[in-house]
Amino acid sequence: MELKLDRMESELNIINPDLLQPSKNCKVLPLMVTLNVGGYLYITQKQTLSKYPGSFLEEVASRKRQGVPIDSKGNPFIDRDGPLFRHILNFLRTGELILPEGFQECGLLVREAEFYGLERLAEAIKEHERTRGSSAETTFLEVIDSHERSQGLKVFCSDPDFIERIKGRIVQVSKSRLDGFPEEFAISSNAVQFRHFIKSETGTRLVLKEDNTFVCTLETLKFETVMMAFRRGFRLITSLDSSKGSIVHCEGLHFIK
């Protein structure tokens, strides 16, 4: 049997000696590390985690840190915020802080960076907060409901994006999706205002189309506007004629953000 194997090897060497040698184009794959962070699995290269020597992640990747728990699959387990870890990992990969627009968890991310011993990342987050705070402009929102002054409900906002959202909501609550934006409203980049309205029962005004088709009460639309303002982070600063007992019945509401 050994004689046959030796003969086969000898014949292969004669045909192509490289068949018995490692491929010259074969590259060794980089060492990969799988981490379980708060139940979320992240797979990355050892060199990525080792970018900052002495950090928590560098010690885990090089197995210097003792007492790190292991999950059921044998992966190192870190009992920290799993979703936020992607921002930690992206910083290690790119060397810069890249956060999604409207990110609201900078304080928590700073604490995560400090836990992992990434002081440079913690400082980058704090600088991001300082820059965002200094460059942010105050946004004004005004909701006026007085037929004598504005022919019904008028919504003005210095942020055109809020007006677009109100426009979309009006289409929904007025059940005019098939017709597009209702003709009863005049709209610009910063304001939405009624063109037509009538008084029906006491305290109730209805928006009507030219063919007298019912669309929606003004109070409902004002309520939708106010609730959207609160959800978008606006703060109510003044209200006119608040003696009526309900924010929806106030003639004037002013918000800032």
Side-chain angles (χ1 to χ4, degrees):
M1 185 69 177
E2 292 181 0
L3 183 60
K4 290 183 180 180
L5 291 175
D6 291 340
R7 183 180 301 172
M8 290 176 61
E9 183 176 343
S10 177
E11 292 175 353
L12 286 173
N13 274 319
I14 295 173
I15 297 172
N16 187 352
D18 290 336
L19 289 177
L20 298 180
Q21 303 298 325
S23 172
K24 297 178 181 179
N25 297 323
C26 179
K27 296 182 179 179
V28 179
L29 293 176
L31 183 60
M32 309 302 291
V33 178
T34 300
L35 295 178
N36 184 335
V37 184
Y40 289 76
L41 294 181
Y42 291 89
I43 303 175
T44 186
Q45 298 183 45
K46 179 181 177 181
Q47 65 184 33
T48 300
L49 298 178
S50 304
K51 187 170 185 178
Y52 293 95
S55 68
F56 180 95
L57 294 173
E58 186 272 332
E59 292 182 354
V60 170
S62 60
R63 300 183 180 180
K64 298 177 185 176
R65 181 169 289 266
Q66 303 296 321
V68 178
I70 303 296
D71 67 10
S72 60
K73 301 295 183 181
N75 303 312
F77 175 77
I78 305 175
D79 193 13
R80 302 297 294 188
D81 194 305
L84 278 183
F85 187 74
R86 72 185 184 97
H87 304 300
I88 304 286
L89 197 53
N90 283 335
F91 177 78
L92 295 177
R93 289 166 173 162
T94 65
E96 58 181 329
L97 176 65
I98 304 175
L99 296 175
E101 184 178 354
F103 184 75
Q104 299 294 324
E105 297 184 293
C106 284
L108 182 57
L109 189 56
V110 167
R111 290 196 293 271
E112 294 299 292
E114 292 174 344
F115 169 81
Y116 292 113
L118 301 172
E119 294 300 325
R120 184 174 299 182
L121 173 58
E123 287 302 319
I125 301 168
K126 294 175 183 178
E127 179 61 26
H128 171 79
E129 280 286 84
R130 287 191 292 267
T131 302
R132 186 174 65 174
S134 61
S135 62
E137 297 180 358
T138 302
T139 304
F140 299 94
L141 170 63
E142 180 183 56
V143 182
I144 299 295
D145 180 14
S146 173
H147 67 278
E148 295 178 355
R149 290 183 293 177
S150 63
Q151 297 182 351
L153 182 64
K154 178 180 179 180
V155 179
F156 170 85
C157 186
S158 57
D159 180 9
D161 179 67
F162 185 84
I163 295 299
E164 283 299 311
R165 292 177 180 273
I166 288 296
K167 178 181 175 180
R169 191 59 182 152
I170 288 174
V171 171
Q172 289 181 346
V173 299
S174 64
K175 300 179 182 178
S176 301
R177 301 179 194 180
L178 298 179
D179 301 330
F181 195 67
E183 295 181 357
E184 290 76 18
F185 303 88
I187 185 169
S188 68
S189 61
N190 291 104
V192 172
Q193 184 174 357
F194 285 107
R195 286 180 175 172
H196 314 290
F197 76 96
I198 66 168
K199 287 187 176 181
S200 177
E201 302 173 359
T202 304
T204 303
R205 281 174 286 184
L206 304 179
V207 183
L208 302 179
K209 293 186 177 181
E210 294 181 359
D211 59 359
N212 292 334
T213 303
F214 172 77
V215 178
C216 185
T217 67
L218 297 183
E219 290 181 355
T220 298
L221 294 181
K222 186 196 291 189
F223 175 79
E224 292 289 342
T225 302
V226 171
M227 292 305 298
M228 182 175 292
F230 287 140
R231 288 194 296 267
R232 300 291 295 175
F234 283 91
R235 294 184 296 109
L236 178 65
I237 55 174
T238 63
S239 59
L240 304 178
D241 193 17
S242 58
S243 60
K244 294 183 179 180
S246 170
I247 190 172
V248 177
H249 294 94
C250 295
E251 289 188 0
L253 300 170
H254 298 87
F255 301 81
I256 62 170
K257 181 172 69 170

